[in-house]
């Protein structure tokens, strides 16, 4: 079945919906999402949105905090765009009715999270910020935007000129071919590649795999952020315990209620995530249990209703004052290289949100900058597409020659366990080499024929594409930087400062810039 549209959006989180609201005023928009509208990281986001709304704060402070947390591995002009434009957008939302939490005097109730120098985190419904924001956007979305749930995109389509012109999806109705002037990847991250994760099970990096197989450039795949506090029960992660809990007075402790972060960092329990996650990892590796002590937080259930319910559902009783936690995968800083308008290295293909790599998060994302990224670059991308218009005339599909047979793959559970073991917070060259030897080659993954596969098989294949990209990037960056520790290279190496590991057309290279500047067809100036 063929479906034609002006704009095809793959994904349904905050970046997708922010863009759709603007685009639907001008174009016919189709949204395709692998699961329901309520199974995105955006919808589950507890922490809030970082934005400068207080007179005591300043945009320059927010920029400085972002750069410091990410170890200065950034595209700095995009960080400035994120903070400046994001602040304006959030201030507008506050004036137009977004129901955030406020003090009795009407001022926003601003929270504090790790690595932030000021209280600047906007919340809604306590720890239900993502849910409330997504519901707010969905309420504004008009019926003319068609939303197609439970369809998995598994191939991007390019025409004979090399432009992206659509995608193939597989769902309950079989295979659908979408044709569009503009195709937007807003598929989220890849946290579900790990056995311990805060992510939805559907966050398997599909958009990155789609883009890689279509020939788009990918970068920063070595930088997976691990959140220090996932609820840990029955030897598995049950969900996220927001950093806002520590911002409200919670502290990391061991089974004897002794503080864990004392002497490790000046910001103690609100140190950057790689610091806190590593501290808990070491404790647990030594056989000790780790907890958040919440005895200093009054009215916990009122302030954190989602977390309280999560605890009760898993027989964790808050009257004890201890929430058992462990680190797990949380946010991928890397992805499809895109500029501040969402443009990728393939004409008419865009990437926005966690699936994109714009250089705003560096080697370790600052807490609560993710929802800000989605609304900021979702708006900028939509504005560019509106200005550019729909001019594609060539919808002749250039069939990609995929003759390779399916390589040997791990089971989903095996892959998730190996990712946690070999590509977790602590890594070493021997484990990485061992893992890479067991993974398919990049070339075989690029040309594997996916015809006839069921959705679960397609998803497992996409997971292996992303895992292979991550493993090759991780072994190539021979240093410790940001979100992970290399035990064989414990320090940052000046040689790796401002260097980017890029994958494109099945090849990997290291270069001194995320972008290459030159003229390309269709744009006055593109930055690839």
């Amino acid at each position: 079945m063929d479906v034609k549209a002006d704009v095809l959006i793959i994904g349904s989180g905050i970046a997708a919906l922010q863009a759709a609201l603007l685009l639907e005023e001008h174009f016919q928009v189709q949204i395709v999402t692998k699961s329901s509208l309520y199974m995105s990281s955006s919808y589950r986001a507890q922490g809030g949105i970082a934005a400068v709304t207080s007179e005591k704060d300043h945009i320059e402070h927010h920029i400085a905090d972002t750069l410091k947390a990410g170890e200065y591995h950034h595209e700095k002009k995009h960080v400035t765009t994120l903070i400046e434009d994001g602040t304006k957008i959030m201030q507008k939302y506050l004036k137009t009715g977004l129901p955030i939490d406020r003090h009795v005097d009407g001022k926003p109730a601003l929270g504090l999270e790790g690595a932030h120098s000021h209280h600047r985190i906007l919340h809604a419904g306590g720890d239900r910020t993502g849910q409330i924001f997504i519901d707010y956007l969905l309420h504004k979305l008009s019926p003319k935007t068609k939303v197609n749930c439970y369809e998995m995109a598994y191939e991007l389509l390019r025409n004979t000129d090399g432009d992206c012109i659509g995608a193939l999806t597989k769902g309950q109705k079989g295979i659908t071919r979408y044709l569009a002037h503009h195709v937007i990847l807003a598929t989220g991250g890849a946290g579900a590649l790990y056995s311990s994760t805060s992510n939805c099970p559907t966050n398997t990096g599909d958009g990155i795999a789609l883009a890689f197989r279509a020939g788009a450039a990918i970068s920063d795949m070595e930088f997976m952020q691990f959140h220090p506090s996932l609820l840990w029960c029955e030897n598995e992660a049950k969900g996220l315990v927001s950093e806002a809990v520590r911002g409200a007075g919670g502290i990391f402790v061991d089974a004897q209620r002794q503080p864990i972060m004392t002497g490790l960092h000046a910001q103690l329990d609100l140190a950057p995530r790689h610091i806190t996650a590593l501290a808990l990892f070491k404790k647990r590796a030594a056989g000790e249990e780790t907890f958040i002590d919440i005895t200093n937080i009054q009215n916990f259930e009122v302030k954190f209703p989602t977390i309280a319910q999560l605890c009760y559902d898993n027989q964790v009783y808050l009257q004890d004052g201890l929430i058992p936690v462990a680190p797990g995968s949380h946010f991928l800083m890397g992805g499809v290289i895109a500029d501040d308008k969402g443009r990728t290295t393939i004409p008419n293909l865009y990437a926005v949100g966690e699936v994109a790599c714009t250089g705003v998060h560096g080697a370790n994302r600052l807490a609560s900058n993710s929802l800000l990224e989605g609304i900021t670059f979702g708006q900028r991308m939509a504005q560019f597409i509106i200005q550019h218009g729909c001019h594609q005339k060539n919808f002749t599909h250039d069939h990609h020659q995929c003759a390779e047979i399916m390589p040997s793959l791990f089971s989903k559970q095996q892959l998730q366990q190996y990712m946690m073991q070999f590509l977790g917070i602590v890594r070493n060259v021997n484990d990485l080499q061992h893992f890479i030897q067991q993974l398919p080659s990049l070339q075989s993954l690029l040309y594997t024929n996916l015809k006839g596969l069921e959705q679960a098989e397609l998803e497992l294949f996409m997971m292996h594409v992303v895992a292979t990209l991550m493993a090759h990037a991780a072994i190539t960056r021979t240093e410790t930087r940001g979100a992970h520790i290399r035990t064989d290279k414990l320090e940052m190496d000046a040689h790796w400062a401002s260097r980017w590991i890029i994958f494109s057309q099945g090849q990997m290279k290291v270069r001194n810039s995320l972008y290459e500047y030159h003229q390309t067809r269709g744009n006055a100036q593109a930055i690839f």
Side-chain angles (χ1 to χ4, degrees), residues 16 27 34 117 121 133 166 190 197 226-227 250 320 333 347 351 373 382 387 423 502-503 520 525:
F27 306 119
K34 188 166 70 169
S117 58
I121 314 301
F133 209 142
T197 183
F226 296 88
H227 200 288
D320 297 335
M333 275 70 74
E373 176 193 19
Q387 182 182 26
L423 274 169
I502 312 289
F503 298 90
T520 63
Q525 184 182 47

Side-chain angles (χ1 to χ4, degrees), residues 105-161:
D105 62 2
K107 292 183 178 179
L110 300 176
L112 181 66
E113 292 184 358
H116 285 272
S117 58
H118 292 71
H119 286 73
R120 65 168 67 100
I121 314 301
L122 297 160
H123 295 275
D127 57 6
R128 295 188 298 121
T129 306
Q131 176 186 336
I132 288 173
F133 209 142
I134 293 294
D135 286 342
Y136 180 81
L137 295 177
L138 285 173
H139 180 72
K140 289 180 172 293
L141 199 68
S142 77
K144 66 182 181 181
T145 292
K146 176 65 174 174
V147 180
N148 308 276
C149 296
Y150 301 100
E151 285 190 41
M152 179 182 178
Y154 68 91
E155 183 180 335
L156 294 174
L157 306 178
R158 299 182 71 174
N159 66 13
T160 51
D161 296 319

Side-chain angles (χ1 to χ4, degrees), residues 6 74 107 172 222 236 259 402 478 480 489 517:
D6 295 325
H74 299 79
K107 292 183 178 179
Q172 296 172 337
E222 66 271 37
E236 66 179 12
C402 292
T478 53
T480 289
K489 301 285 183 179
Y517 293 77

Side-chain angles (χ1 to χ4, degrees), residues 204-456:
T204 50
D206 302 346
I208 296 168
L210 287 170
F212 171 75
R213 279 174 51 88
I218 314 290
S219 188
D220 275 356
M221 294 301 290
E222 66 271 37
F223 294 122
M224 170 64 78
Q225 182 181 81
F226 296 88
H227 200 288
S229 56
L230 307 187
L231 181 66
W232 191 256
C233 302
E234 300 175 346
N235 206 35
E236 66 179 12
K238 300 292 187 178
L240 182 66
V241 179
S242 170
E243 203 162 275
V245 171
R246 284 172 281 131
I251 60 172
F252 287 124
V253 297
D254 59 22
Q256 288 72 46
R257 291 186 183 259
Q258 294 300 307
I260 291 173
M261 294 305 300
T262 301
L264 296 182
H265 193 276
Q267 289 181 279
L268 299 174
D269 300 271
L270 291 176
R273 285 176 176 168
H274 64 289
I275 303 294
T276 51
L278 180 61
L280 268 67
F281 171 84
K282 288 181 175 178
K283 283 285 185 182
R284 300 187 66 81
E288 298 187 49
E289 295 181 283
T290 49
F291 304 85
I292 296 179
D293 186 331
I294 61 169
T295 53
N296 291 327
I297 304 176
Q298 296 181 348
N299 302 315
F300 184 91
E301 295 178 44
V302 175
K303 293 178 180 177
F304 303 104
T306 303
I307 298 170
Q309 188 62 53
L310 181 67
C311 288
Y312 287 129
D313 290 345
N314 290 281
Q315 290 77 54
V316 174
Y317 301 107
L318 298 178
Q319 57 264 35
D320 297 335
L322 293 177
I323 300 177
V325 294
S329 65
H330 185 56
F331 189 94
L332 181 64
M333 275 70 74
V336 185
I337 298 178
D339 68 4
D340 62 331
K341 300 173 182 64
R343 293 177 293 179
T344 72
T345 53
I346 295 177
N348 300 338
L349 177 67
Y350 305 79
V352 67
E354 192 175 352
V355 70
C357 179
T358 60
V360 297
H361 298 308
N364 202 18
R365 175 177 65 83
L366 181 67
S368 290
N369 268 0
S370 53
L371 293 181
L372 186 72
E373 176 193 19
I375 61 170
T376 302
F377 291 107
Q379 175 170 299
R380 290 179 65 86
M381 176 185 64
Q383 290 171 338
F384 172 79
I385 292 173
I386 291 167
Q387 182 182 26
H388 186 70
C390 295
H391 304 294
Q392 182 60 258
K393 293 181 174 59
N394 180 6
F395 284 95
T396 302
H397 179 202
D398 185 11
H399 292 275
H400 192 50
Q401 295 301 316
C402 292
E404 293 280 340
I405 62 172
M406 180 64 65
S408 176
L409 303 179
F410 296 117
S411 71
K412 186 173 184 178
Q413 186 177 32
Q414 283 177 322
L415 181 62
Q416 291 169 326
Q417 290 172 345
Y418 287 149
M419 288 293 289
M420 204 73 213
Q421 180 180 353
F422 301 134
L423 274 169
I425 303 167
V426 176
R427 307 168 180 180
N428 68 75
V429 66
N430 292 331
D431 283 348
L432 289 169
Q433 286 175 342
H434 174 71
F435 189 36
I436 287 172
Q437 288 169 1
Q438 298 179 72
L439 288 166
S441 71
L442 289 172
Q443 285 296 317
S444 69
L445 292 168
L446 190 64
Y447 296 110
T448 299
N449 190 335
L450 304 183
K451 187 176 181 180
L453 296 183
E454 296 301 319
Q455 185 168 330

Side-chain angles (χ1 to χ4, degrees), residues 451-469:
K451 187 176 181 180
L453 296 183
E454 296 301 319
Q455 185 168 330
E457 296 171 310
L458 290 167
E459 183 177 79
L460 183 62
F461 174 80
M462 299 298 187
M463 291 174 72
H464 279 76
V465 173
V466 178
T468 304
L469 291 169

